[in-house]
Amino acid sequence: MNPSTALLTDHYELTMIEAALESGHADRPCVFEAFARRLPDGRRYGVVAGTGRILQALPDFRFGDAELAWLRERDVVDGRTLDWLADYRFTGDIWGYAEGEVYFPGSPLLVVESTFAEGVVLETLVLSILNHDSAVASAASRMTAAAGERPCIEMGSRRTHEESAVAAARAAYVAGFASTSNLEAGRRHGIPTAGTAAHSYTLLHDDERDAFANQLASLGAGTTLLVDTYDVTAAVRLAVELAGPALGAVRLDSGDLLGQAHGVRAQLDALGATGTRIVVTSDLDEHAIAALQSAPVDSYGVGTSVVTGSGHPAAGMVYKLVSRESDAGVMEGVAKASTDKASVGGRKFALRRRGADGLAQAEIIGIDERPSDDGDDRDLLVPLVSRGEVVAPTDVRTAREHHAAARAELPQRALRLSHGDPAIPTTYLDDWS
Amino acid sequence: MNPSTALLTDHYELTMIEAALESGHADRPCVFEAFARRLPDGRRYGVVAGTGRILQALPDFRFGDAELAWLRERDVVDGRTLDWLADYRFTGDIWGYAEGEVYFPGSPLLVVESTFAEGVVLETLVLSILNHDSAVASAASRMTAAAGERPCIEMGSRRTHEESAVAAARAAYVAGFASTSNLEAGRRHGIPTAGTAAHSYTLLHDDERDAFANQLASLGAGTTLLVDTYDVTAAVRLAVELAGPALGAVRLDSGDLLGQAHGVRAQLDALGATGTRIVVTSDLDEHAIAALQSAPVDSYGVGTSVVTGSGHPAAGMVYKLVSRESDAGVMEGVAKASTDKASVGGRKFALRRRGADGLAQAEIIGIDERPSDDGDDRDLLVPLVSRGEVVAPTDVRTAREHHAAARAELPQRALRLSHGDPAIPTTYLDDWS
C-alpha cells in the first residue's frame, strides 16, 4: 500500500464537506471542471500533463488511521465528517483530455461527475498535479519543437523540489524530451536516464589530463568529456589526443555557445573526430535552443527553464463547480458572477475541429450537449475513471505518443516562439451553431 | 524506515564516482560549497530555507536493495561502484548558515567536508531542497515584511507540485507566514492550518442565503463567509443578518480589493459588525500586499506567488568543489576558470559584521581562514553534521525564530520592495583586511 495522498489537501475542502454534511447537500450530484482561463502570456498552446499521475494518486486518496487521528487531534472537522472521510473512496466518473493533449483557453481538461463531497475533496491534489506537470510540459514542448530532430536532455532536478524533479522529468518526456538526468524518474517511470561529466570531477584531479585520462579509462571513449573547465581549445585538443576520434561527445557549459560550437566543431573535424558530438548545457530555454538551430550542436541539456515552466511555473488551471442538482432535482449550470474570474456553467463536451487536411481549426466546446462531428473532428474528452475505477492508461509512453500526434495536427503558427494568440480559437457551441 | 532519497540524484553523480573509484581519487579529502552567485534580479536579501529538510533527508540517503537492483539492471554504473554505493553513509562534516538566516551573493550557505565521492553524491538532493525552499522563503519574507503585523496565510498548494506544496508551506512559515491551508504541512511539520470558504460551497446551494445559513449552522458565527460569489454588498448584508455582529470574517477573492476593502469595512461597521475581519486572497504578491497597507484588511491569503517564489522559482544556488587534496597531499583551493560562471576556490568562513547598534554592515567571507570578530559580529557557519551525525535542530520553529531575528538586524533599506542592490556588501577577507 502506498502512502496516503489524502492530506495533500486544503483545510477548507474538509470544512466545506462538514458544512455540506450538516446541511444535507453533501450528496448532491455535481460536475466539477478543471480548465485554464488563459494560456501563459503569449503562448500559442498548452500541453496537458499529470493526468496519469492523478489516476495513480486516486486509489491512494484514502483517509487512514494516521490521517484521521491527526484531523481529530487538531479538531479540523467534527466526528461525523471524520466518519465520512474514513469511508471515502471516489465512486464517480472522470472524463478528461488524454495526457499529452494540447489545450487552449477554456478547454475542459477534466470533468468530474460525482457527489459534491466526493468531488470537492479532490480539488487540491488534482490542481497541484495538473498545474505543475502541465506547466513543465507546455514549456518542454516549445523546446522540443525548437530543437527539431536534436534530442533534449532534461537536467533540471537541482533547480526544483526533489519530488517535483521526478514529475518534471516525466512531464518533459511526455513533451518529447529524449531523456532525463534524474535517476528516480528512470526507476519510477521508465524514462531513459543520461549523464555527462561534472566540473567537480575535473577539479578533483591535479590537472585536466589526469581527469580526462581517468574518465576515459573508466567510462570508455564513448563518454562525454566536459571541456570548459579551463580553456576550451586546449581541452578539445587534449580530449581527442587521449580518446582518439572515437570520443563520444564534448560538453560546453558556459560562455558564447553559438560561437564556441562552430569553433569546437571545426577543431574536432580538423582533428579527425568527425563523429564526436557536441552537447550544450548552459541556461538553455526555448529561445536559446532556437538561436542555436543553425549551429553544429548535437543535443541540448536543459535545466532550470524546463523544470520551472520557462517563466510560468504554474499553468493557471482552476477546478470549478459548473453544475449541480437543484432543490427541484434537476441539474443546473452554476458559475461565479465576478467579471475577472468568470467561469462558464454547465457540463462541457469538447471536440477538436479539423479540416480535410487533418489540421486543427478550432476548439469546439458544447455546454450540456456534445458538439456534432463534421467528419474530420476528434473527440477530446476520454473516459479516465468509471464508477471509481481507473479505465485509462497512466503510462508515460502513451502520453508521449499522444502529444506528438496532437502537436502535429496544429497549424504551423502554433510552433512560433514569439508572443501571439492561441493557435486556434475556442468556440462555444452556442456561438458556433 | 523512510523511503530512500538516494535516487533523487543526477545520473552523472554516480558515473563520476565510478570514474573516481577507478582512478583512485574517490577518497580524496574535499570541500564542497553551496552558494548563490547573485540574488534574484533586484532583491535586497535572500533567505536560507530547507536546511532542516536536508538534515532529515540525509539519514535516508542510502542505497537499498531496490535502488541497487535498478542501477544494476540499467547498467548505470559498474559492480565496484554498486558495492561502494551499498555501503554509502555520509561520514563527513557539514557546516552551514542556520535555517532562516538571510544571505547575500557569495554567502557560503553550506560547507561539506568529506571525501570526493561522499560529498559529490549529495549535490542534487542538497540543491533541490535549498533552491526550492529558499526561493519560497525569500519571496515569503518580502510578503511578511510588507504585511507588517497582519498575518499572511499560505494557500498556494494547488499551484505547485503536491509535495512542493508541503515544503513551500514550511518555507513560508520559516519566513513569517502565520499559517497554511495545507493539511499535510500541518501534520508533518506542525504548522498551524487554516481555511476559509469555497465558491463551490456557495454554488452548491440554490441560493446564497441557504449556503451562508448552513455554513453558520455547521461551523458557527466565527467562520469566514465568502462574499464575492454574486454581489459583494448584498452578500455582506446577508452575512451579518444571518450571523450577527459575531461573524468572524468575510473573504474577498476578486475585483478591486483596495476599493472593496474600504467599502466592506464601512458596511460592516455600519451594520455593527465592527469585530468582523476582512480576509483578501486574490492573486496577492508582496507588491499587492504593500498596496493594501493602508486598506482596512486584516489578513492576506497568498497563493501562486509565494509557492513559486514570486517570479523566481529557483534560488540559483550551486554546489561546487572549492578545495581538495592534491597529489602532494596538501589541500588546494580549486575553481572553474570561466568568466560567466566563476566561483571562488578555498574553504570559506563567514561573519556578519554588525555595528554597535546591532545592525548588519557587511558579509565578511574568509578564505581558508576565519575572519576575526570585531566584537559585535556574528558567526554565520554553524555545525550541522559532525562525523555523519546531525547536530543541529531541524524543526521549523527554531528556523522561524532565527529568521525573525536575522531580518531584524538588517538595515531598513533591506525591506524595500523596489529593485536595488543587496542590502549589505559581500566582502572577501583579502579585500577587507
Side-chain angles (χ1 to χ4, degrees):
Chain A
M1 169 135 173
N2 296 317
S4 170
T5 55
L7 289 190
L8 299 168
T9 294
D10 287 314
H11 188 112
Y12 81 165
E13 311 289 7
L14 304 195
T15 52
M16 292 296 99
I17 291 174
E18 178 176 330
L21 285 169
E22 171 74 22
S23 74
H25 288 59
D27 288 337
R28 277 201 165 179
C30 283
V31 182
F32 292 89
E33 180 190 322
F35 63 98
R37 292 193 179 95
R38 61 194 73 86
L39 297 177
D41 190 29
R43 295 267 184 95
R44 312 298 180 107
Y45 66 99
V47 179
V48 182
T51 321
R53 294 211 303 120
I54 290 172
L55 299 180
Q56 287 166 350
L58 192 62
D60 302 319
F61 197 93
R62 305 291 287 270
F63 295 83
D65 292 343
E67 291 75 32
L68 294 166
W70 183 81
L71 293 171
R72 184 179 297 110
E73 179 198 320
R74 296 302 172 101
D75 203 21
V76 174
V77 285
D78 65 8
R80 174 168 57 186
T81 308
L82 290 173
D83 290 344
W84 187 89
L85 294 174
D87 292 335
Y88 180 79
R89 176 176 172 279
F90 183 77
T91 62
D93 296 334
I94 304 180
W95 298 74
Y97 278 37
E99 183 160 16
E101 186 58 79
V102 299
Y103 73 87
F104 301 93
S107 297
L109 305 177
L110 215 63
V111 175
V112 176
E113 300 178 313
S114 68
T115 66
F116 174 76
E118 280 194 22
V120 78
V121 75
L122 297 178
E123 176 176 22
T124 310
L125 182 61
V126 161
L127 285 180
S128 288
I129 295 176
L130 273 187
N131 271 320
H132 174 268
D133 291 17
S134 301
V136 173
S138 297
S141 179
R142 286 159 61 86
M143 296 168 189
T144 56
E149 295 298 309
R150 296 174 178 173
C152 293
I153 312 162
E154 186 283 306
M155 37 177 70
S157 291
R158 63 190 61 186
R159 308 290 178 221
T160 188
H161 180 281
E162 66 275 20
E163 276 293 330
S164 307
V166 183
R170 184 185 180 283
Y173 189 69
V174 168
F177 270 58
S179 56
T180 177
S181 65
N182 189 286
L183 292 171
E184 182 64 20
R187 180 171 67 154
R188 203 180 296 175
H189 301 300
I191 300 168
T193 65
T196 57
H199 290 109
S200 62
Y201 177 80
T202 298
L203 295 171
L204 169 66
H205 295 78
D206 279 35
D207 59 43
E208 200 169 43
R209 177 176 290 270
D210 271 5
F212 284 5
N214 285 332
Q215 185 178 334
L216 290 163
S218 172
L219 305 177
T223 194
T224 299
L225 291 175
L226 178 55
V227 293
D228 73 336
T229 306
Y230 304 110
D231 176 81
V232 171
T233 306
V236 169
R237 191 185 314 120
L238 182 63
V240 180
E241 176 198 329
L242 295 173
L247 177 62
V250 296
R251 173 183 169 213
L252 297 170
D253 184 49
S254 54
D256 165 28
L257 296 176
L258 182 62
Q260 279 188 84
H262 283 286
V264 168
R265 181 73 268 156
Q267 188 185 4
L268 286 170
D269 290 348
L271 293 167
T274 54
T276 300
R277 287 167 288 111
I278 298 177
V279 187
V280 293
T281 58
S282 184
D283 288 335
L284 297 180
D285 62 10
E286 61 267 47
H287 303 287
I289 291 171
L292 289 164
Q293 272 170 349
S294 66
V297 165
D298 297 279
S299 60
Y300 303 99
V302 188
T304 310
S305 66
V306 64
V307 301
T308 59
S310 200
H312 302 284
M317 290 168 192
V318 294
Y319 182 94
K320 295 294 171 190
L321 180 68
V322 292
S323 185
R324 53 107 183 98
E325 198 176 275
S326 69
D327 291 345
V330 295
M331 292 300 285
E332 287 180 343
V334 295
K336 184 175 185 236
S338 110
T339 50
D340 61 333
K341 289 189 175 178
S343 54
V344 178
R347 202 279 196 197
K348 311 300 186 310
F349 296 82
L351 201 69
R352 183 136 313 141
R353 179 127 300 163
R354 297 187 295 191
D357 58 2
L359 288 185
Q361 296 179 336
E363 195 85 335
I364 311 293
I365 300 176
I367 301 170
D368 295 322
E369 184 185 350
R370 194 178 163 282
S372 61
D373 187 331
D374 276 6
D376 297 307
D377 301 345
R378 188 158 64 82
D379 251 327
L380 293 169
L381 286 171
V382 299
L384 301 176
V385 175
S386 180
R387 296 188 184 183
E389 298 301 319
V390 173
V391 295
T394 62
D395 69 289
V396 73
R397 275 166 220 286
T398 303
R400 179 179 165 88
E401 287 165 18
H402 190 84
H403 177 63
R407 192 174 72 183
E409 277 180 10
L410 294 180
Q412 189 58 33
R413 64 179 176 275
L415 304 184
R416 288 188 201 142
L417 296 178
S418 57
H419 280 225
D421 292 326
I424 58 173
T426 299
T427 310
Y428 290 88
L429 195 61
D430 289 348
D431 310 48
W432 182 266
S433 55
Chain B
M1 170 138 171
N2 296 318
S4 169
T5 55
L7 290 190
L8 298 167
T9 294
D10 288 314
H11 187 113
Y12 82 164
E13 311 289 7
L14 303 195
T15 52
M16 292 296 100
I17 290 174
E18 177 176 331
L21 286 168
E22 171 74 22
S23 74
H25 289 60
D27 288 337
R28 274 200 167 179
C30 283
V31 182
F32 293 89
E33 180 190 321
F35 63 96
R37 291 193 180 94
R38 60 193 76 87
L39 297 177
D41 190 29
R43 295 267 183 95
R44 313 297 180 106
Y45 65 100
V47 179
V48 183
T51 321
R53 293 210 305 120
I54 291 171
L55 299 180
Q56 288 166 350
L58 192 62
D60 302 320
F61 198 93
R62 306 292 286 270
F63 294 83
D65 292 342
E67 290 76 31
L68 293 167
W70 183 80
L71 293 170
R72 184 179 299 111
E73 179 198 319
R74 298 300 174 102
D75 203 21
V76 174
V77 286
D78 65 9
R80 174 169 56 187
T81 309
L82 289 173
D83 290 345
W84 187 89
L85 295 174
D87 292 334
Y88 180 79
R89 177 176 171 279
F90 183 78
T91 62
D93 295 334
I94 304 179
W95 299 74
Y97 278 37
E99 183 161 15
E101 186 58 80
V102 299
Y103 73 86
F104 301 93
S107 297
L109 305 177
L110 215 63
V111 175
V112 177
E113 300 178 313
S114 68
T115 66
F116 174 76
E118 281 194 20
V120 78
V121 76
L122 297 178
E123 176 177 22
T124 311
L125 182 61
V126 161
L127 285 180
S128 288
I129 296 176
L130 272 188
N131 270 321
H132 174 268
D133 292 17
S134 301
V136 173
S138 297
S141 179
R142 286 159 60 87
M143 296 169 189
T144 57
E149 296 298 308
R150 296 173 178 175
C152 292
I153 311 163
E154 186 283 306
M155 37 177 69
S157 292
R158 63 190 61 186
R159 307 290 177 221
T160 188
H161 181 280
E162 67 275 19
E163 276 293 329
S164 307
V166 183
R170 183 185 180 282
Y173 189 69
V174 168
F177 270 58
S179 57
T180 176
S181 65
N182 189 287
L183 291 170
E184 182 64 19
R187 181 172 66 155
R188 202 180 297 175
H189 301 299
I191 300 168
T193 66
T196 57
H199 290 108
S200 62
Y201 177 80
T202 298
L203 294 171
L204 169 66
H205 294 79
D206 279 35
D207 60 41
E208 199 170 44
R209 176 177 292 270
D210 270 6
F212 284 5
N214 285 331
Q215 186 179 333
L216 291 163
S218 171
L219 305 177
T223 194
T224 299
L225 292 175
L226 177 55
V227 293
D228 72 337
T229 305
Y230 305 110
D231 176 82
V232 172
T233 306
V236 170
R237 190 184 316 119
L238 181 64
V240 180
E241 176 197 327
L242 295 173
L247 177 62
V250 295
R251 173 181 169 216
L252 296 170
D253 184 48
S254 54
D256 165 29
L257 296 176
L258 182 62
Q260 279 189 85
H262 283 286
V264 168
R265 182 73 268 159
Q267 188 186 3
L268 286 170
D269 290 348
L271 294 167
T274 54
T276 300
R277 287 167 287 111
I278 297 176
V279 187
V280 294
T281 58
S282 184
D283 288 336
L284 296 180
D285 63 9
E286 61 268 47
H287 302 286
I289 291 171
L292 289 164
Q293 272 170 350
S294 66
V297 164
D298 296 279
S299 60
Y300 303 99
V302 187
T304 310
S305 67
V306 66
V307 300
T308 59
S310 201
H312 301 283
M317 290 167 191
V318 294
Y319 183 92
K320 295 293 171 192
L321 180 69
V322 292
S323 185
R324 54 107 183 98
E325 198 176 274
S326 70
D327 291 344
V330 294
M331 293 299 286
E332 287 180 344
V334 294
K336 183 174 185 239
S338 111
T339 49
D340 60 334
K341 288 189 173 178
S343 53
V344 178
R347 202 282 196 197
K348 311 299 186 311
F349 296 82
L351 201 69
R352 183 134 315 140
R353 178 126 302 162
R354 296 188 295 191
D357 56 3
L359 288 186
Q361 295 178 337
E363 195 85 334
I364 310 293
I365 300 176
I367 301 171
D368 295 321
E369 184 185 350
R370 193 179 164 282
S372 60
D373 187 332
D374 277 6
D376 297 307
D377 302 344
R378 188 159 64 82
D379 251 328
L380 293 169
L381 286 171
V382 298
L384 301 176
V385 175
S386 179
R387 297 188 184 183
E389 298 301 319
V390 173
V391 295
T394 62
D395 69 289
V396 72
R397 275 165 219 287
T398 302
R400 180 179 162 87
E401 286 165 18
H402 189 84
H403 177 64
R407 190 174 74 183
E409 277 180 11
L410 295 180
Q412 188 59 33
R413 63 179 176 275
L415 304 185
R416 287 188 202 145
L417 296 179
S418 56
H419 281 224
D421 291 327
I424 59 173
T426 299
T427 310
Y428 290 88
L429 196 60
D430 289 348
D431 310 50
W432 182 265
S433 55

